[in-house]
Every structure is written in structure tokens, then in C-alpha cells.
């Protein structure tokens, strides 16, 4: 497996462990899913960058936490996507939205970041959450991979202090 983590915003300097957490998350996901050798890029940006991408590619003029841009692929066979080359696409993660969500959900930043990296990776492999059945499949995989990283279930209800 080959991937590059590209830092496109200085705000990521606040999180010195971000690159190592993403690397560990992606490698764990690849190991769990046993895909053929793949290549991808992960871009660490900010809200304004991801808002422009979200607007231009999805028609949603607002920031989001993570976007995935799959490379051209051949339709799935035996439940796994088939790619004509090892390059499967790009993942872009926005710092400010990720940080806000982690605080709002009472999660450590690195745990939320690992979840977003895995979520984006699954999208590159052809998984989606457009309907309940697909969402359950994707969430089950995310939980399983995150458990290998000792990251708690991101979908479990959390008790909040009043």
C-alpha cells in the first residue's frame, strides 16, 4: 500500500500526531479489508478549501469534515470494487470542522480523525451510506476497524453533562 499525506493548511500544525494517526488508521483499514495493493492521497486542508470542493463537486456550499474523490473504477464483482490501476483516489479532511465535531461530540481529536480517515477510505473502496442497509454495512466496518485501534464506537450514544 502506498499513500501520501499532504498538509495544505498551517492549522494542522496544532496537531502533531495527526499524520501518524491517519497512517495507522489507513493501514489498519487496508489490513482489515485485505484489498489489493492500493495507492491514495490524503489532503489535510481547512474549512474554506473543503467548502469550495463541496460546492464545486457536490453542489453543497458549506464545509464538511471529509470528502472522498474515488478514481475511475470498474463495477464491483464479488462485493469488492475492481480498479484498473492501484490508484483509488483522494481523501480531503478539513481541520476546523473535524475539531468542532470532536469537541461537540466529546471525543478526542485523534479518535475522530481516525474515524474520518477510515470513512473516507471506505468510500474510495466503493462503500457508501445512501440507504440504511449500506449505512449499516459501512458503520459495521468502521466500528470493526476502529476497535483494532482501541477507538470507541463513534456511533454509540454518549452521555452529556448538563
Amino acid at each position: 500500500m502506498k499513500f501520501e499525506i499532504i498538509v495544505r493548511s498551517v492549522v494542522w500544525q496544532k496537531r502533531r500526531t495527526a499524520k501518524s494517526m491517519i497512517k495507522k488508521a489507513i493501514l489498519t483499514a487496508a489490513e482489515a479489508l485485505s484489498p489489493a495493493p492500493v495507492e491514495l492521497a490524503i489532503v489535510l486542508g481547512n474549512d474554506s478549501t473543503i467548502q469550495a470542493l463541496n460546492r464545486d463537486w457536490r453542489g453543497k456550499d458549506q464545509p464538511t469534515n471529509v470528502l472522498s474523490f474515488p478514481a475511475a473504477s470498474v463495477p464491483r464483482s464479488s462485493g469488492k470494487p475492481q480498479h484498473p490501476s492501484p490508484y483509488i483516489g483522494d481523501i480531503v479532511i478539513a481541520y476546523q470542522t473535524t475539531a468542532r465535531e470532536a469537541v461537540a461530540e466529546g471525543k478526542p481529536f485523534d479518535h475522530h480523525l481516525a474515524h474520518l480517515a477510515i470513512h473516507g477510505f471506505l468510500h474510495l473502496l466503493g462503500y457508501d451510506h445512501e440507504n440504511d442497509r449500506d449505512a449499516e454495512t459501512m458503520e459495521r466496518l468502521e466500528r470493526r476497524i476502529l476497535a483494532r485501534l482501541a477507538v470507541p464506537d463513534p456511533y454509540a450514544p454518549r452521555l452529556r453533562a448538563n
Side-chain angles (χ1 to χ4, degrees):
M1 166 168 226
K2 294 181 184 176
F3 63 93
E4 184 175 1
I5 300 173
I6 303 159
V7 180
R8 290 283 187 223
S9 178
V10 297
V11 296
W12 284 94
Q13 291 175 357
K14 299 174 188 177
R15 303 294 178 166
R16 300 206 184 276
T17 59
K19 287 172 99 173
S20 62
M21 177 53 79
I22 291 169
K23 182 178 181 180
K24 189 186 303 186
I26 296 295
L27 290 173
T28 302
E31 180 182 287
L33 298 171
S34 301
V38 296
E39 297 176 10
L40 65 136
I42 300 151
V43 178
L44 302 179
N46 59 31
D47 274 6
S48 61
T49 300
I50 210 162
Q51 181 171 347
L53 290 168
N54 205 20
R55 179 192 63 234
D56 295 349
W57 292 93
R58 299 178 66 225
K60 297 180 179 188
D61 194 10
Q62 61 190 30
T64 189
N65 51 20
V66 63
L67 290 173
S68 297
F69 296 95
S73 64
V74 178
R76 289 179 182 226
S77 66
S78 15
K80 304 248 181 183
Q82 302 296 312
H83 294 274
S85 80
Y87 179 72
I88 61 172
D90 301 327
I91 299 168
V92 182
I93 302 174
Y95 178 82
Q96 294 94 331
T97 298
T98 301
R100 272 193 313 274
E101 289 174 349
V103 169
E105 297 170 16
K107 299 175 183 176
F109 181 88
D110 280 355
H111 288 184
H112 191 46
L113 181 59
H115 179 211
L116 295 177
I118 291 165
H119 186 87
F121 183 70
L122 290 176
H123 277 305
L124 295 183
L125 293 179
Y127 292 93
D128 216 324
H129 45 81
E130 293 300 316
N131 60 56
D132 289 344
R133 185 172 148 224
D134 290 346
E136 284 179 31
T137 299
M138 194 167 174
E139 289 173 13
R140 185 172 42 254
L141 286 170
E142 289 170 351
R143 285 181 182 108
R144 190 175 89 206
I145 297 162
L146 288 166
R148 291 180 179 197
L149 296 167
V151 173
D153 179 353
Y155 299 105
R158 298 194 180 273
L159 297 175
R160 299 195 187 249
N162 291 337

